[in-house]
Amino acid sequence: MDFTLVLEPAPEAAKAARDLVAEAFGKWGLESYEARLVITELFSNAARVSGEPVVVRVGRARGKVLLEVWDQSDEPLVLRAAGPEEEGGRGLFIIDDLVAEWGVRPLDGGGKAVWAVMA
């Protein structure tokens, strides 16, 4: 069973993404704290680079939970060290520590899907 929302790329929409994760994990009897943290970061990145609606998807297969965020930007995600004066640039390190694996794949019509498999 998959759970999907299409959200406007606005910071306040991150709560709806977290709520979707909480709903899915609740139905599966799983703790959602770390997944809510991950989806917030994925959504925030997508909302920042995309002027178009963002798709948030939560799925489960073979005992693993997959989080995905689709946006219309072709801007790549880069895992890089942020300087001490930079306000952003640390979120992917958090994701990298919390998930089993993550990556990016291009979408057929342009844009990308950023995905994470929860540990």
Side-chain angles (χ1 to χ4, degrees):
M1 172 185 277
D2 288 347
F3 296 78
T4 305
L5 275 179
V6 178
L7 300 170
E8 291 301 316
E12 59 272 12
K15 181 183 181 318
R18 286 191 299 274
D19 290 347
L20 181 70
V21 168
E23 177 187 354
F25 275 59
K27 290 211 186 284
W28 299 327
L30 301 173
E31 167 53 47
S32 68
Y33 180 78
E34 289 181 352
R36 287 182 286 136
L37 204 66
V38 170
I39 205 70
T40 299
E41 182 59 30
L42 294 179
F43 177 81
S44 296
N45 286 342
R48 188 172 38 257
V49 299
S50 180
E52 302 293 323
V54 174
V55 176
V56 176
R57 186 175 155 282
V58 184
R60 188 174 187 198
R62 296 179 293 283
K64 296 186 179 191
V65 176
L66 174 69
L67 307 177
E68 283 190 320
V69 175
W70 303 0
D71 65 55
Q72 294 303 309
S73 171
D74 292 319
E75 184 177 319
L77 283 179
V78 179
L79 185 63
R80 64 172 181 81
E85 301 300 318
E86 291 181 82
E87 288 187 29
R90 294 165 186 83
L92 288 179
F93 281 102
I94 294 170
I95 289 172
D96 197 52
D97 281 346
L98 293 176
V99 303
E101 60 183 315
W102 68 275
V104 181
R105 64 180 171 80
L107 296 174
D108 289 339
K112 65 185 172 300
V114 182
W115 55 268
V117 176
M118 295 307 299

